[in-house]
Amino acid sequence: MNLLQQGAEARLFAANFCGRSCIVKERFPKKYRLQEIDEKLTKKRLSQEVKALQRCRKAGILTPIIYFVDTTRSIIFLEKIDGETVRQHIVSVRKMQEDSSYHSIYPMAREIGKILAKLHDADLIHGDLTTSNMIIKTSDNKLDKKTNEIFLIDFGLSFSSSLAEDKGVDLYVLERAFLSTHPNSEELFSVLLDAYKDVSKKSSSVLTKLEEVRQRGRKRSMIG
Amino acid sequence: METFNLEPLLSDTSISVALYENVTNASKLKTLIKDGEIHAALIKAEMVLDVFQVLVASSKAFYAKTLNKLKTKLIYTEILFNLSPSNKISECFKLFGVEDEATCVLVVARKEDFSEVDKHVEGDICPLSKLDNLCDKQYLKKLYKVTDEELKVCSLTDCVVSQMAAKEIR
């Protein structure tokens, strides 16, 4: 087993589980928290992640398969998705464009919009939507670029909600992530939102809330 | 018959999985296991879609044993319990356990114990790939409540395995 990444919340290892390559996600104890609270919070995050992964699949969203769960050590074994994060993909594709534009990424943005529409229509909130929490799978057939599949990952902060406010905030978090990670990506994000609107059956209230949340943020004057 | 190592959880444990058809002594084998004379799990072959399903159930069972957290008496009964979506032990045995008149049996045992188990089975060993033909996929789909929407994004094996792995989290 080799360490792939050490995050604030968990360590990720690559391993082989019964012949399949997998990711081992270990939520380690946080010494800066009171032990009792840490144990409860860690178990809750593990449980939320597992439940969300299952519900996503039922809603037709690509997510890693769960291979093993150890609630005692807060470890989860997940299917390893071969590919790169959407963040890495956007950065590398943009570098190849002479004009540094995002036009070639529009189809992928539309795909993400569709996925989020399915997620929110199933009353699931991801809780931490960023381009690093989406993986674009390397398709086996290199010529057929249209079949690149996008997986959603990292559901530790997820919860279920039918409120437009929660869905609006979920989208807002992604918007902030886009704008801070990928410069001048406003149009790219609006392509994503258009696809969301087309696919979602409950989008109008969500998009209204998104606009409201945008007005609230940092350095905004709260004149209503 | 194929052998698998249960890494990374238990890298020093290996299990052997074998599929037998034309078995004539399923009932006798069950008694031998119950009496502790042979150490193996007997699984209804029609309920297994892919050997990976069995590997996941076995890893969980062997691991639980090391932590002394078996929900059933033996590792081998635990494997049956882990294969089932139900938390009722008796229901698990009924669904995945082998019937007395069964002719197709999947056997799981520790690598070291396998040859001893094999001696007692009166049947013909056949390749594990046959499981795909034998499996009652429709029944498995119904049992695990797998929807067509789900099957658009992953295989039936993956849906089943995911549910098996996440069974305790409700």
Side-chain angles (χ1 to χ4, degrees):
Chain A
M1 232 168 54
N2 51 313
L3 181 67
L4 285 177
Q5 216 179 303
Q6 162 100 34
E9 211 203 334
R11 275 179 215 120
L12 294 181
F13 298 87
N16 194 296
F17 180 72
C18 301
R20 294 202 188 181
S21 52
C22 79
I23 298 281
V24 176
K25 185 170 181 176
E26 178 198 17
R27 285 185 163 85
F28 50 86
K30 314 290 181 303
K31 300 292 179 197
Y32 56 80
R33 287 184 193 143
L34 193 61
Q35 196 185 346
E36 203 186 317
I37 298 179
D38 185 40
E39 282 171 8
K40 281 194 181 154
L41 194 55
T42 305
K43 288 218 178 342
K44 185 174 174 207
R45 296 253 168 100
L46 176 66
S47 165
Q48 280 171 304
E49 175 153 44
V50 168
K51 285 186 201 163
L53 286 169
Q54 305 287 65
R55 289 181 59 186
C56 273
R57 225 182 40 250
K58 287 230 181 290
I61 295 167
L62 287 166
T63 50
I65 301 296
I66 303 167
Y67 290 157
F68 182 77
V69 177
D70 184 350
T71 46
T72 326
R73 295 186 195 171
S74 292
I75 291 177
I76 177 171
F77 286 29
L78 295 164
E79 176 191 5
K80 180 169 198 288
I81 312 294
D82 280 324
E84 52 182 355
T85 62
V86 164
R87 178 194 177 144
Q88 291 163 328
H89 185 79
I90 293 177
V91 168
S92 63
V93 167
R94 190 172 172 240
K95 263 199 201 141
M96 298 197 299
Q97 311 298 314
E98 271 180 23
D99 56 353
S100 291
S101 83
Y102 292 107
H103 286 116
S104 50
I105 303 171
Y106 282 14
M108 190 185 72
R110 272 191 277 272
E111 188 56 39
I112 297 172
K114 286 185 203 164
I115 294 169
L116 295 182
K118 275 192 213 170
L119 183 74
H120 287 173
D121 279 1
D123 290 342
L124 272 170
I125 311 296
H126 184 279
D128 190 16
L129 282 175
T130 67
T131 49
S132 305
N133 282 339
M134 300 173 190
I135 298 188
I136 183 160
K137 184 175 178 180
T138 320
S139 71
D140 296 324
N141 182 358
K142 293 209 163 84
L143 295 170
D144 195 358
K145 294 222 168 101
K146 287 184 196 155
T147 60
N148 272 330
E149 299 170 311
I150 298 173
F151 286 72
L152 283 187
I153 60 166
D154 211 351
F155 285 84
L157 296 175
S158 67
F159 58 98
S160 63
S161 167
S162 55
L163 299 178
E165 164 85 21
D166 292 326
K167 296 173 189 178
V169 169
D170 217 21
L171 291 176
Y172 184 65
V173 167
L174 183 60
E175 184 176 52
R176 298 307 316 159
F178 253 97
L179 300 179
S180 62
T181 317
H182 310 289
N184 305 316
S185 55
E186 288 87 353
E187 230 182 277
L188 183 66
F189 191 74
S190 72
V191 165
L192 189 158
L193 281 186
D194 282 340
Y196 180 92
K197 206 188 322 177
D198 290 339
V199 174
S200 169
K201 299 181 181 100
K202 315 173 190 173
S203 64
S204 58
S205 50
V206 175
L207 294 172
T208 310
K209 275 294 175 184
L210 172 61
E211 191 48 46
E212 263 179 54
V213 174
R214 276 176 182 151
Q215 301 304 320
R216 283 181 220 154
R218 285 178 76 209
K219 304 177 187 175
R220 295 257 180 281
S221 57
M222 290 295 291
I223 300 172
Chain B
M1 189 276 280
E2 286 176 46
T3 306
F4 304 88
N5 180 268
L6 299 183
E7 55 168 4
L9 287 170
L10 303 159
S11 43
D12 50 359
T13 305
S14 290
I15 56 169
S16 293
V17 182
L19 179 63
Y20 293 89
E21 48 182 8
N22 307 320
V23 172
T24 54
N25 65 338
S27 172
K28 173 113 194 281
L29 290 170
K30 279 164 77 174
T31 314
L32 285 171
I33 292 176
K34 210 164 116 191
D35 294 342
E37 303 241 1
I38 54 170
H39 307 286
L42 290 184
I43 306 168
K44 194 187 275 184
E46 294 83 0
M47 295 298 281
V48 180
L49 182 54
D50 188 289
V51 74
F52 188 63
Q53 214 179 320
V54 168
L55 296 179
V56 170
S58 304
S59 297
K60 211 168 155 181
F62 278 88
Y63 185 66
K65 173 79 180 168
T66 60
L67 297 177
N68 254 325
K69 285 195 170 172
L70 286 179
K71 297 196 178 80
T72 64
K73 267 201 218 154
L74 306 165
I75 293 179
Y76 307 101
T77 46
E78 193 84 1
I79 294 176
L80 293 176
F81 177 72
N82 290 339
L83 281 168
S84 166
S86 163
N87 273 311
K88 293 193 191 133
I89 299 177
S90 54
E91 215 177 291
C92 302
F93 292 170
K94 230 195 295 174
L95 288 168
F96 289 86
V98 145
E99 273 141 38
D100 290 343
E101 323 79 48
T103 55
C104 284
V105 168
L106 190 69
V107 169
V108 179
R110 278 186 206 268
K111 186 173 153 198
E112 325 63 271
D113 297 337
F114 183 73
S115 51
E116 185 60 37
V117 175
D118 182 55
K119 277 188 207 148
H120 292 274
V121 180
E122 280 166 22
D124 308 319
I125 205 163
C126 59
L128 291 177
S129 50
K130 254 199 159 177
L131 281 170
D132 192 52
N133 292 343
L134 289 169
C135 180
D136 189 347
K137 294 173 193 156
Q138 282 309 315
Y139 185 70
L140 217 58
K141 188 178 161 198
K142 203 171 121 192
L143 181 68
Y144 275 89
K145 303 192 178 96
V146 175
T147 61
D148 289 325
E149 195 63 39
E150 256 180 287
L151 290 174
K152 282 185 196 163
V153 289
C154 75
S155 67
L156 180 57
T157 308
D158 284 347
C159 290
V160 166
V161 161
S162 215
Q163 282 193 53
M164 274 169 56
K167 197 159 100 167
E168 298 93 57
I169 315 270
R170 284 279 150 113

